[in-house]
Amino acid sequence: MEQSTALALPMGGPDLGGLPDLAPASPGLPATSGGSTQLSGKAKAAIVVRLLLNDGAEIPLESLPEDLQLELTKQMGEMRLVDRQTLNAVAEEFASQLDNVGLSFPDGLAGALNAMEGKISRHTYSRLRREAGVRQFGDPWDRLRKLDAEELAKIAMAESTEVAAVMLSKLDTGKAALMLQSLPGPVARRITYAVSQTGSVSPDTVDKIGTALAAQVEARPDIAFDETPGQRLGSILTQSQSEKREEVLTALDEEDEEFAADVRKSVFTYALIAKKVDKMDVQKVIRAVTPQDLTTAIAYATDEEDIATSEFLLANMSGRMAANLREEAGQLGKVKKATGEAAFAMIVSMLRELVTNGDIELKSDEEEEE
């Protein structure tokens, strides 16, 4: 029996990847008989698919490459009746090949990369995707849907309003809403209005737009850092002593106000806890830090905003615990700067870890103003 494959149909049920390609399909098959040896691999694939569909099996044929979908459909259109002997022979052959399967590898390079994602370096993964080309990876819109809302907004602003409207329409509603939120008001209004003009856009046009946009994403050069320069420097200054932090930020203001503003957005200090943390999350913060760091921070707080944070924390814990912390902080007296700054940094570090793990969520700028 020949071992080459005519069709490989990924599905929840049986894998059709073992169907043999015995010969070119015969045009117009009448009622067939005499077993399966006179049938081509395409004809056998059509019989198996028809049999599975009759039994109500869910077969995601849409995940096949378009040319294979066409071949399979045309083959089914050319066939007529198949007698029970031939049907049983094809089914037995298919079942026999399934029984002989010992290990199944991912389908093509796309499947291999999906299986290896996170296991090989990001650089190697990106390089293989680029070399294979966007079309190797099925629906290009699936690639675009994985981007975050800010990236999608940047793409939308770089494209025509009509293209952006198609992209908005192809996203899931939640991601589309976040993308709109990331766009300037006038741009968002133009794109949302343009959605009303997409009623007559053909599937082929939508596919070409998706392919072009996904190709742009794949063509972007690899970057060494996941965070922006402002975010990286902001994280560093968050862990720095206040004097050095203000010294650096003042110098940045003089050199590049826009970059300095970006850095300030990423700097998180003890003083910002009262503004950024919801009172319902205070207990989570308190459990994450040591009582010693909390007592030291309360005793060290002298600036108005630092004191406001201490009072915010004390007001949202049990009265007994708050009284004990006030008493212990009073007994500490004047705290050395290095000790106080270290306590501030430890509390902020633990808070950022809670945010990173998804245990708490910081307030947005709009929520701060409410």
Side-chain angles (χ1 to χ4, degrees):
M1 178 183 299
E2 291 85 348
Q3 298 299 318
S4 60
T5 299
L7 292 173
L9 305 179
M11 61 183 72
D15 180 7
L16 303 185
L19 291 175
D21 186 9
L22 300 178
S26 303
L29 285 175
T32 60
S33 62
S36 66
T37 56
Q38 57 186 293
L39 296 178
S40 70
K42 294 177 183 179
K44 293 179 183 180
I47 291 173
V48 172
V49 169
R50 179 65 172 167
L51 180 62
L52 292 173
L53 292 176
N54 283 354
D55 287 341
E58 292 292 333
I59 311 176
L61 297 174
E62 69 278 1
S63 61
L64 282 170
E66 187 173 337
D67 58 338
L68 291 185
Q69 294 184 49
L70 290 171
E71 287 186 36
L72 177 61
T73 304
K74 289 178 179 179
Q75 180 65 51
M76 294 180 73
E78 293 173 354
M79 300 180 71
R80 297 295 179 266
L81 299 175
V82 177
D83 63 36
R84 186 167 298 279
Q85 179 184 356
T86 303
L87 177 62
N88 290 339
V90 171
E92 288 176 4
E93 182 180 332
F94 178 56
S96 175
Q97 292 193 19
L98 287 182
D99 287 340
N100 289 328
V101 172
L103 181 65
S104 176
F105 281 89
D107 184 27
L109 181 57
L113 281 177
N114 286 336
M116 296 294 283
E117 187 172 5
K119 309 295 190 302
I120 58 178
S121 72
R122 186 177 61 181
H123 174 73
T124 302
Y125 180 84
S126 299
R127 176 182 172 183
L128 287 171
R129 284 187 67 100
R130 286 197 302 271
E131 289 178 356
V134 174
R135 265 292 162 218
Q136 289 276 348
F137 297 88
D139 186 355
W141 291 106
D142 288 340
R143 174 73 178 99
L144 294 167
R145 292 186 188 104
K146 293 179 181 179
L147 302 178
D148 61 44
E150 292 185 358
E151 285 186 281
L152 291 169
K154 291 177 182 178
I155 293 173
M157 292 181 66
E159 298 294 334
S160 69
T161 302
E162 293 75 12
V163 168
V166 170
M167 182 172 72
L168 183 69
S169 301
K170 288 293 291 182
L171 300 174
D172 61 83
T173 53
K175 181 65 70 69
L178 290 174
M179 188 191 93
L180 284 178
Q181 189 174 331
S182 302
L183 290 168
V187 177
R189 287 193 292 273
R190 288 197 299 270
I191 292 174
T192 51
Y193 173 73
V195 171
S196 67
Q197 311 299 312
T198 60
S200 60
V201 176
S202 69
D204 186 55
T205 299
V206 172
D207 184 68
K208 288 179 180 178
I209 290 173
T211 300
L213 294 178
Q216 290 180 29
V217 173
E218 296 299 337
R220 292 183 303 189
D222 290 334
I223 55 176
F225 304 103
D226 293 326
E227 297 179 322
T228 66
Q231 290 171 332
R232 295 199 304 276
L233 185 54
S235 297
I236 293 171
L237 293 181
T238 292
Q239 300 296 323
S240 303
Q241 292 192 353
S242 56
E243 286 185 2
K244 177 58 66 176
R245 179 167 57 244
E246 290 306 316
E247 177 187 340
V248 171
L249 289 173
T250 300
L252 286 176
D253 283 330
E254 297 174 357
E255 294 290 335
D256 188 335
E257 290 186 6
E258 185 175 347
F259 178 57
D262 188 33
V263 173
R264 288 181 186 278
K265 290 179 182 178
S266 299
V267 172
F268 195 93
T269 63
Y270 181 78
L272 291 176
I273 292 177
K275 299 178 181 179
K276 288 286 189 180
V277 177
D278 190 284
K279 62 181 181 181
M280 301 299 293
D281 290 327
V282 168
Q283 290 296 329
K284 295 178 182 178
V285 177
I286 293 172
R287 287 195 294 267
V289 302
T290 65
Q292 181 180 356
D293 284 330
L294 196 53
T295 302
T296 303
I298 293 171
Y300 179 68
T302 53
D303 292 346
E304 184 177 341
E305 291 184 335
D306 291 337
I307 294 174
T309 286
S310 295
E311 292 299 324
F312 170 74
L313 296 174
L314 291 166
N316 290 287
M317 64 179 70
S318 69
R320 182 177 180 180
M321 184 177 186
N324 289 338
L325 286 173
R326 288 184 189 277
E327 181 179 352
E328 293 172 5
Q331 293 173 354
L332 285 179
K334 186 176 181 180
V335 177
K336 292 182 179 180
K337 183 175 181 179
T339 304
E341 292 285 350
F344 278 1
M346 183 59 67
I347 293 173
V348 169
S349 177
M350 296 307 298
L351 175 59
R352 290 173 69 93
E353 186 173 330
L354 289 172
V355 174
T356 300
N357 293 338
D359 295 320
I360 66 174
E361 186 174 341
L362 299 180
K363 293 180 180 179
S364 63
D365 293 339
E366 293 77 8
E367 290 174 316
E368 286 183 54
E369 296 172 358
E370 295 179 356

